[in-house]
Amino acid sequence: MKKPAIYGVLSVGAFLTLFPYLLVVLTTFKTRSDLYSTKPWLPAVPPSLDSLHRLADSGFLTYVGHTALMTAVLTVGQLTFTTFAAYAFARMEFRGREVLFWCYLATMMVPNVVTMIPLFLIMRQLHLVNTWFGLLAPYILGTPYGIFLMRQFFRTIPTDLEDAARIDGAGPLTVLWRILLPLSRPALGTLAIITTVQSWNNFLWPLIISSGDDTKVATVAIATLRQSIGGDYNLMMAGSLVALFPMVVIFLSFQRFIVRSVVLTGLK
């Protein structure tokens, strides 16, 4: 295929990818009358901030704060517990290690929606419905994918470094903290970015486990805007734009690590 044709295909793909985001921005800065009197792809003249003002008055920023808190806790928790588990599976010798690892990894084949109802029933029995612990518990201790990623990276680090440290009297925690973790920054950065994006965009589990405003996150709040106010698409698009903004900032700030994560994981 010639270069002009390649550029044409890529341009069409880029336009189709970015067009929904363009609609979010254009709709946010329209009034309700503009929304129905102009074409969706045309900007409002002059742009209106009415949707953003009404969104701020509705308390939506509180839910954004809840999302940021949930994302931060889950990212720190996953990095911590995933690192310990991956180190055990990669370096420590114990009976049944490989069988246990592959059995745990096999849970990746189970769709998340299948486990939602059993998880909810467990949380209800433990009286954790509509609590922060119930919101965080299923994901804070690590995921099979994260453990697999870190284990595979640990196995690429030469064991000679660890052996030399052990000769000098270092224990497992010292080896992990001073030898493996400094060398694993690319994998840790990749895992942090993936966890942050997934936690920020998580919708199904917060929708199931949360029923009050104390634990409501932004994705659930956007979904409930239409139910509580009706067909106010300006407000919904304003909420989507506010929720999208931190992810855009993260992408622009850490795009080098995001590209590396695609290389390491093969995800798109």
Side-chain angles (χ1 to χ4, degrees):
M1 185 179 291
K2 296 182 178 180
K3 282 189 176 180
I6 295 175
Y7 290 144
V9 172
L10 292 177
S11 299
V12 171
F15 177 76
L16 293 176
T17 302
L18 295 176
F19 187 68
Y21 300 99
L22 178 63
L23 285 182
V24 170
V25 176
L26 294 177
T27 306
T28 297
F29 293 102
K30 289 181 179 179
T31 62
R32 299 189 69 172
S33 58
D34 291 335
L35 180 64
Y36 297 105
S37 62
T38 61
K39 298 294 184 184
W41 53 85
L42 294 178
V45 181
S48 172
L49 299 178
D50 178 66
S51 299
L52 294 174
H53 289 157
R54 288 190 293 121
L55 187 72
D57 294 338
S58 69
F60 183 79
L61 295 180
T62 302
Y63 308 135
V64 175
H66 291 168
T67 308
L69 178 61
M70 178 187 72
T71 301
V73 173
L74 289 181
T75 302
V76 173
Q78 286 227 21
L79 288 177
T80 302
F81 295 107
T82 294
T83 299
F84 283 119
Y87 177 69
F89 283 125
R91 296 299 199 195
M92 302 184 73
E93 297 291 340
F94 56 90
R95 182 177 297 178
R97 184 188 69 174
E98 294 301 315
V99 174
L100 179 62
F101 172 72
W102 289 110
C103 287
Y104 183 61
L105 197 64
T107 60
M108 289 177 61
M109 302 298 109
V110 181
N112 286 335
V113 293
V114 176
T115 61
M116 287 295 145
I117 300 303
L119 272 177
F120 177 78
L121 295 177
I122 292 172
M123 295 300 165
R124 190 176 64 178
Q125 290 297 322
L126 296 175
H127 304 287
L128 295 177
V129 175
N130 200 30
T131 65
W132 276 98
F133 194 83
L135 183 65
L136 300 172
Y139 304 102
I140 196 172
L141 297 180
T143 60
Y145 168 76
I147 293 174
F148 174 75
L149 175 68
M150 293 305 301
R151 173 187 179 267
Q152 295 305 103
F153 196 87
F154 284 159
R155 290 168 69 92
T156 64
I157 299 175
T159 56
D160 294 343
L161 297 174
E162 186 175 347
D163 294 337
R166 290 186 182 279
I167 292 174
D168 291 337
L173 290 179
T174 303
V175 171
L176 176 63
W177 181 254
R178 296 193 175 183
I179 305 296
L180 296 183
L181 288 185
L183 296 174
S184 304
R185 288 174 182 169
L188 290 171
T190 298
L191 182 60
I193 290 172
I194 293 174
T195 304
T196 299
V197 174
Q198 289 181 343
S199 301
W200 187 272
N201 295 325
N202 194 3
F203 170 70
L204 185 57
W205 178 245
L207 177 66
I208 293 174
I209 197 67
S210 303
S211 58
D213 290 339
D214 293 339
T215 55
K216 184 182 291 185
V217 297
T219 51
V220 178
I222 293 173
T224 55
L225 281 175
R226 187 175 187 278
Q227 299 174 5
S228 58
I229 302 177
D232 194 338
Y233 295 106
N234 300 81
L235 202 61
M236 294 179 65
M237 293 301 104
S240 301
L241 181 62
V242 171
L244 180 65
F245 182 74
M247 292 296 100
V248 174
V249 172
I250 288 176
F251 174 77
L252 295 177
S253 303
F254 301 100
Q255 55 180 312
R256 179 166 57 91
F257 294 98
I258 294 175
V259 173
R260 183 179 297 170
S261 72
V262 174
V263 175
L264 285 176
T265 64
L267 295 177
K268 295 182 179 178

